[in-house]
């Protein structure tokens, strides 16, 4: 009954919480407590993973750090709350966390029915399959009759049903709550294939004993636009998340990174001047300091830097930029201008 | 002489709020108002919060498409079915584990309870070691342990353990032939029901006759004949209107037949082992509560040990056993929700898990789930209380 009571407690929080009606309630609460509370994955290398000392690292973790930098001028004022796929939405709805940066797919029902606002798409992804090489499977279309392991409470679970149904293939699904349990079940042979977002597959593969014994099948069966999200209704807070992300993208596009950011303050380029708070009052608009974006870039880095550091080709995850390259380099990442 | 009665009869002047009778009622009213007010406040506040945060509320979601599959379903189910249907599937999966678990745990518990009292040193030692070890390890660990043992000790589908070409054991479960009914089969279950009804009638009649004339009737054999013999006869007469569907290896997995998935097997097994230890202790306590004089009196009357146990000891022990047995049944049912840990699709995993996550309607989903458990528990209690009254000592 423990699981049930955790969620029941979340539900009770909804019942008792005094409503946060006024604008910028979330920002005020964060400033008062001196910390951003960020819901992240439990342990997904490259995205959100605590090391032996409990220091969190990863692409999603950097998103949280960037927001902390924008608010406090300090990237370390974050409390990370690991959430399972299943618990994450209750945690956000009930106010247990201020935002989720947790491999979460932007879908219509999550945006509209669950009462959230997505702040952007910081990772364009799609669902794939991983199988043992020894099984000799070359394509997802050969998976008729297979047993598939997946995590409960994900879009993955639903896409899987759609994929097999539309291809008129039988299958069995073993759905578990924790990603590590799913992976263990796959590893022990309970399932023939493992399915999740392809970024997740790449990350999870590094956790297996011999990563090279497993192949990621070529098919991408869904669109998984991943991004940070907050509760519906506090627009100022959502704007802060959104523009923290856009600032990182704009910085990459303008060639501003954590190493050259101080020099760039002297740049003659008006776009850079606005980004770094040399010109204009863009921080103030968000109820933040005008150096908000400067702090993000200085303390966390631009989008490209966090990508390369956490999940890029030179990391064990080894994901090339692909569709996550800037629009100017043939990808989909495109941020509106700061002006 | 006129006496003013009113004056002497009048009670001493106590204000009504100090009057014990009024006070008792008043406190109850205040308490009721507070409880109702509190419930109303929570309801209102929840509703307001959900509205303000733009979270959907209400129970309409039960009708919308679920969109996910469930590995074990006792009624037809597919991803295109509704969330309400998924609720039913989860509930039936919970009931399946609970019902099978209760039956097996009761049998195990009685065996262990009696074994613990055995004069045979080895048997009673084994029983008490089992009870002490199992009762003192958290159930969640035991469930995960058995699941791991099962997973690690079984081969993949292509190397399945083959028992006579009919049963196959592998890490996807226990596969066995499934009977598929043909037209005309319906007579067999009807015959079974008729057999049960006839047995009850026959039992009453036999008892009445024994009371009246002292003559005994072979109740057990007649009952077996009615309950099992009759349906088998009907099956034969109607020309066996069913055939077997055998499991076959096809591609990745076996298909056809029936399968007990490892999650079901290990969850049920763990619950039975765990609850059986507790029931064993209840049974031992119950038997020990029966005064030894009863047994001696029975022997003195010339009853043999068998009838003594059956007619004297057990009926009296049952009075002590049943109340704690009821709470063990309730515990087993509620503990089955630990299923989530190994991915068995029970009510909590399916409904308070996946459905809750997909609809985001935590308050509604949790309320329904709690309501269902409450209903199951109350039903079990009502039945067991009824049974308890039946076996209770009747003062004559
Ligand atoms: N994008 C999907 C799946 C999200 C998800 O839970 N992904 C898994 C695998 S990529 C994960 O992050 N697991 C990490 C964990 O549970 O700690 C969704 O939003 O529903």
């Amino acid at each position: 009954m423990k699981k049930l009571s955790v969620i029941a407690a979340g539900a009770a929080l909804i019942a008792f919480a005094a409503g946060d009606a006024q604008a910028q309630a979330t920002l005020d609460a964060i400033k008062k407590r001196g910390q951003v509370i960020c819901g992240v994955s439990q342990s997904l290398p490259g995205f959100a993973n605590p090391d032996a000392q409990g220091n969190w690292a990863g692409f999603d973790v950097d998103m949280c750090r960037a927001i902390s930098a924008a608010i406090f001028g300090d990237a370390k004022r974050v409390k990370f709350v690991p959430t399972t796929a299943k618990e994450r939405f209750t945690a956000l709805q009930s106010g247990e966390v201020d935002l989720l940066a947790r491999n979460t797919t932007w879908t219509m029902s999550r945006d509209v029915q669950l009462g959230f606002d997505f702040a952007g798409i910081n990772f364009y992804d799609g669902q794939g399959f991983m199988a043992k090489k020894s099984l000799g499977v070359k394509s997802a279309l050969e998976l008729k009759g297979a047993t598939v392991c997946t995590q409960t409470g994900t879009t993955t679970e639903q896409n899987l049903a759609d994929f097999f149904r539309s291809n008129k293939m039988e299958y069995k699904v073993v759905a578990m709550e924790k990603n590590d349990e799913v992976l263990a079940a796959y590893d022990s042979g309970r399932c023939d294939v493992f399915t999740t977002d392809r970024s997740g597959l790449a990350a999870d593969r590094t956790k297996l004993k011999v990563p090279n014994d497993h192949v990621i099948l070529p098919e991408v069966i869904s669109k998984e636009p991943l991004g940070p999200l907050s509760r519906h209704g506090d627009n100022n807070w959502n704007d802060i998340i959104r523009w923290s992300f856009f600032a990182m993208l704009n910085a990459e596009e303008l060639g501003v990174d954590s190493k050259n950011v101080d020099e760039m303050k002297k740049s003659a380029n008006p776009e850079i001047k606005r980004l770094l708070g040399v010109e204009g009052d863009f921080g103030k608009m968000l109820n933040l300091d005008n150096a908000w974006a400067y702090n993000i870039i200085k303390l966390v880095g631009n989008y490209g830097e966090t990508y390369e550091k956490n999940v890029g080709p030179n990391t064990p995850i080894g994901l090339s930029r692909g569709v996550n390259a800037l629009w100017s380099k043939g990808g989909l990442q495109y941020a509106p201008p700061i002006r | 002489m006129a006496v003013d009665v009113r004056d002497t009869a009048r009670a001493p002047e106590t204000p009504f709020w100090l009057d014990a009778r009024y006070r008792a009622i008043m406190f109850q009213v205040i308490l009721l108002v507070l409880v109702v007010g509190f419930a109303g406040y929570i309801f209102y506040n929840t509703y307001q919060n959900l509205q303000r945060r733009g979270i959907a509320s209400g129970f309409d979601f039960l009708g919308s498409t679920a969109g996910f599959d469930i590995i074990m379903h006792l009624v037809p189910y597919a991803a295109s079915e509704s969330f309400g249907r998924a609720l039913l599937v989860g509930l039936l999966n919970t009931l399946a584990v609970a019902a099978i678990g209760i039956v097996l745990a009761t049998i195990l518990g009685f065996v262990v309870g009696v074994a613990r009292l055995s004069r045979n040193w080895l048997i009673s030692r084994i029983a008490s070691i089992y009870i002490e070890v199992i009762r003192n390890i958290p159930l969640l660990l035991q469930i995960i342990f058995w699941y791991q043992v099962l997973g690690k000790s079984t081969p993949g589908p292509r190397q399945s353990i083959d028992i006579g070409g009919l049963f196959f054991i592998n890490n996807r479960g226990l596969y066995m032939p499934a009977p598929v009914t043909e037209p005309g089969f319906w007579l067999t279950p009807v015959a079974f029901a008729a057999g049960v009804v006839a047995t009850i009638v026959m039992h009453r009649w036999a008892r009445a006759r024994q009371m009246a004339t002292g003559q005994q009737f072979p109740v057990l054999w007649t009952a077996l004949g009615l309950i099992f013999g009759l349906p088998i006869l009907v099956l034969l007469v109607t020309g066996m209107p069913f055939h077997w569907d055998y499991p076959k290896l096809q591609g990745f997995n076996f298909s056809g037949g029936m399968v007990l998935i490892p999650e079901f097997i290990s969850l049920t097994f763990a619950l039975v082992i765990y609850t059986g230890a507790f029931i064993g202790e209840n049974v031992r306590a119950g038997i020990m509560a029966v005064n030894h004089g009863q047994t001696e009196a029975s022997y003195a009357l010339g009853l043999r040990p068998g009838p003594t146990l059956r007619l004297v000891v057990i009926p009296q022990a049952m009075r002590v056993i049943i109340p704690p047995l009821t709470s063990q049944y309730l515990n087993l049912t509620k503990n089955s929700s630990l299923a989530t840990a190994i991915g068995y699709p029970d009510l909590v995993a399916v409904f308070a898990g996946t459905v809750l996550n997909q609809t985001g309607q935590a308050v509604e989903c949790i309320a329904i789930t709690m309501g269902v458990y409450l209903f199951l528990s109350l039903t079990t209690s009502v039945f067991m209380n009824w049974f308890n009254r039946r076996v209770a000592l009747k003062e004559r």
Side-chain angles (χ1 to χ4, degrees), chain B residues 32-301:
Chain B
L32 190 71
V33 168
L34 284 181
V35 169
V36 170
F38 185 63
Y41 165 76
I42 291 191
F43 189 81
Y44 176 76
N45 200 29
T46 307
Y47 186 72
Q48 289 287 310
N49 281 342
L50 292 178
Q51 287 294 88
R52 186 163 36 231
R53 291 181 187 169
I55 301 172
S57 54
F59 292 94
D60 291 348
F61 71 94
L62 288 173
S64 32
T65 309
F68 63 95
D69 280 292
I70 305 176
I71 189 167
M72 175 172 153
H73 43 86
L74 301 175
V75 286
Y77 172 85
S80 50
E81 226 107 20
S82 68
F83 285 125
R85 185 78 174 183
L87 168 66
L88 178 68
V89 169
L91 172 61
L92 289 177
N93 286 349
T94 290
L95 287 177
V97 168
I100 295 177
I102 282 175
V103 171
L104 296 181
T106 309
I107 297 173
L108 178 66
F110 272 79
V111 170
V112 170
V114 172
R116 178 102 203 251
L117 291 173
S118 164
R119 292 214 186 84
N120 182 320
W121 186 84
L122 192 64
I123 289 181
S124 82
R125 274 299 91 173
I126 291 176
S128 50
I129 290 172
Y130 156 71
I131 288 175
E132 289 315 321
V133 169
I134 294 296
R135 284 201 311 170
N136 290 304
I137 298 175
L139 176 58
L140 182 59
L141 289 182
Q142 297 191 32
I143 293 174
I144 295 174
F145 175 77
W146 292 119
Y147 185 57
Q148 295 295 336
V149 168
L150 202 62
K152 299 262 148 65
S153 60
T154 44
R158 289 175 196 177
Q159 296 82 37
S160 297
I161 303 168
D162 176 341
I163 305 173
L166 298 176
F167 295 84
F168 299 91
I169 300 171
N170 57 45
N171 58 15
R172 310 288 158 83
L174 167 62
Y175 288 80
M176 53 195 142
V180 182
T181 59
E182 290 161 12
F185 182 78
W186 62 273
L187 270 169
T188 305
V190 169
F192 177 76
V196 171
V197 172
T199 302
I200 295 171
V201 173
M202 181 269 298
H203 181 68
R204 293 228 168 118
W205 167 81
R207 170 172 283 187
R209 195 179 70 145
Q210 190 178 356
M211 288 293 181
T213 66
Q215 274 180 292
Q216 289 197 338
F217 188 79
V219 174
L220 185 66
W221 292 110
T222 322
L224 286 179
L226 283 171
I227 294 177
F228 297 105
L230 194 62
I232 292 174
L233 196 69
V234 169
L235 206 56
L236 290 173
V237 169
T238 50
M240 308 274 265
F242 76 95
H243 63 265
W244 294 98
D245 179 25
Y246 299 101
K248 292 179 287 297
L249 185 62
Q250 247 175 20
F252 297 98
N253 285 311
F254 278 83
S255 64
M258 287 193 290
V259 58
L260 292 182
I261 55 173
E263 291 77 19
F264 174 83
I265 298 174
S266 39
L267 179 67
T268 313
F269 189 74
L271 286 170
V272 167
I273 296 283
Y274 183 76
T275 316
F278 286 89
I279 295 180
E281 282 297 86
N282 296 340
V283 169
R284 180 176 72 108
I287 293 178
M288 282 172 55
V290 179
N291 194 325
H292 193 57
Q294 298 278 330
T295 320
E296 283 168 353
S298 164
Y299 288 160
L301 287 174

Side-chain angles (χ1 to χ4, degrees), chain A residues 41-43 88 102-103 105 110 151 154-155 179 196-197 200:
Chain A
S41 286
Q42 291 186 308
S43 88
R88 60 186 154 167
R102 198 210 163 281
N103 309 79
T105 304
R110 288 172 179 178
Q151 200 173 0
T154 55
T155 46
N179 193 42
T196 187
D197 303 342

Side-chain angles (χ1 to χ4, degrees), chain A residues 40-44 47-48 60 82-86 88-89 102-107 110 125 151-159 177-180 194-201 203-204 207 224-226, chain B residues 357:
Chain A
V40 291
S41 286
Q42 291 186 308
S43 88
L44 195 63
F47 286 88
D60 281 339
T83 52
T84 66
K86 188 180 106 175
R88 60 186 154 167
F89 298 128
R102 198 210 163 281
N103 309 79
T104 299
T105 304
W106 186 345
T107 69
R110 288 172 179 178
D125 208 340
Q151 200 173 0
T152 43
T154 55
T155 46
T156 318
E157 212 178 354
Q158 294 167 302
N159 298 330
E177 194 181 328
K178 293 210 172 89
N179 193 42
D180 284 345
F194 175 67
T195 184
T196 187
D197 303 342
R198 285 169 66 93
S199 64
L201 291 179
D204 281 327
K207 290 192 188 175
E224 305 290 330
L226 311 180
Chain B
N357 176 280

Side-chain angles (χ1 to χ4, degrees), chain A:
Chain A
M1 297 304 275
K2 193 173 141 271
K3 290 277 148 53
L4 188 56
S5 40
V6 170
I7 294 182
L13 273 174
I14 299 179
F16 285 106
D20 41 20
Q22 33 359 343
Q24 13 151 357
T26 313
L27 180 62
D28 289 345
I30 290 170
K31 283 186 173 159
K32 210 160 111 207
R33 86 166 91 84
Q35 250 185 349
V36 181
I37 305 182
C38 203
V40 291
S41 286
Q42 291 186 308
S43 88
L44 195 63
F47 286 88
N49 203 21
D51 66 13
Q53 282 78 45
N55 298 316
W56 287 84
F59 185 75
D60 281 339
V61 163
D62 278 350
M63 189 68 233
C64 305
R65 294 235 155 92
I67 293 161
S68 161
I71 299 173
F72 297 112
D74 175 355
K76 298 215 171 62
R77 299 245 205 140
V78 194
K79 183 175 159 200
F80 293 99
V81 175
T83 52
T84 66
K86 188 180 106 175
E87 289 158 5
R88 60 186 154 167
F89 298 128
T90 320
L92 181 60
Q93 282 178 335
S94 64
E96 211 181 304
V97 298
D98 298 319
L99 77 152
L100 285 176
R102 198 210 163 281
N103 309 79
T104 299
T105 304
W106 186 345
T107 69
M108 181 161 171
S109 59
R110 288 172 179 178
D111 196 340
V112 180
Q113 187 192 17
L114 271 64
F116 298 136
D117 282 330
F118 282 80
I121 300 169
N122 66 353
F123 198 99
Y124 289 91
D125 208 340
Q127 184 175 340
F129 294 96
M130 175 163 74
K132 294 199 177 70
K133 272 191 186 145
S134 58
L135 211 57
V137 178
K138 293 276 171 319
S139 149
L141 294 165
E142 296 166 16
L143 292 177
K144 182 162 174 272
T147 305
V148 187
C149 275
T150 190
Q151 200 173 0
T152 43
T154 55
T155 46
T156 318
E157 212 178 354
Q158 294 167 302
N159 298 330
L160 180 66
D162 288 354
F163 174 75
F164 278 88
R165 186 146 52 119
S166 52
N167 286 298
K168 302 206 170 50
M169 299 193 293
E170 296 264 306
Y171 79 112
K172 289 254 160 43
V173 61
V174 176
M176 300 196 175
E177 194 181 328
K178 293 210 172 89
N179 193 42
D180 284 345
E181 290 165 356
V182 185
L183 197 61
Y186 163 73
D187 202 23
S188 77
R190 176 68 182 94
C191 306
D192 303 300
V193 271
F194 175 67
T195 184
T196 187
D197 303 342
R198 285 169 66 93
S199 64
L201 291 179
D204 281 327
R205 185 158 71 160
T206 64
K207 290 192 188 175
L208 294 165
K209 262 165 265 145
V210 189
N212 262 329
D213 284 355
H214 306 266
V215 278
I216 295 177
L217 302 180
E219 285 81 3
V220 181
I221 68 164
S222 70
K223 291 192 285 188
E224 305 290 330
L226 311 180
L229 59 151
S230 65
R231 280 182 295 281
H232 184 91
D234 188 340
N235 294 348
N236 172 240
W237 174 231
N238 195 264
D239 287 343
I240 292 175
I241 304 171
R242 180 195 312 268
W243 285 95
S244 296
F245 165 54
F246 286 158
M248 293 167 85
L249 271 183
N250 278 321
E252 182 181 9
E253 199 179 327
L254 296 168
V256 184
D257 61 33
S258 58
K259 284 168 217 86
N260 67 14
V261 64
D262 286 307
E263 244 158 82
M264 283 292 191
K265 266 185 145 173
K266 298 181 214 106
S267 161
N269 183 338
E271 284 188 77
I272 296 180
K273 285 185 160 175
R274 285 194 295 269
L275 174 70
L276 298 180
V278 180
E279 228 176 75
D281 267 339
F282 295 94
K284 293 254 159 61
M285 292 177 191
L286 291 169
N287 298 313
L288 300 175
D289 192 271
N290 278 339
W292 63 288
Y294 167 85
N295 287 332
I296 295 177
I297 300 158
K298 174 89 186 164
L299 301 170
V300 182
N302 68 30
Y303 181 85
E305 284 181 279
T306 68
Y307 191 102
E308 295 304 327
K309 183 178 87 187
N310 294 304
V311 294
N314 297 324
T315 65
I317 318 294
L319 295 169
S320 62
R321 280 291 284 271
V323 286
N324 287 300
L326 291 179
W327 65 284
S328 49
K329 304 233 173 80
L332 292 172
Q333 290 295 359
Y334 182 108
I338 293 176
R339 81 147 56 252

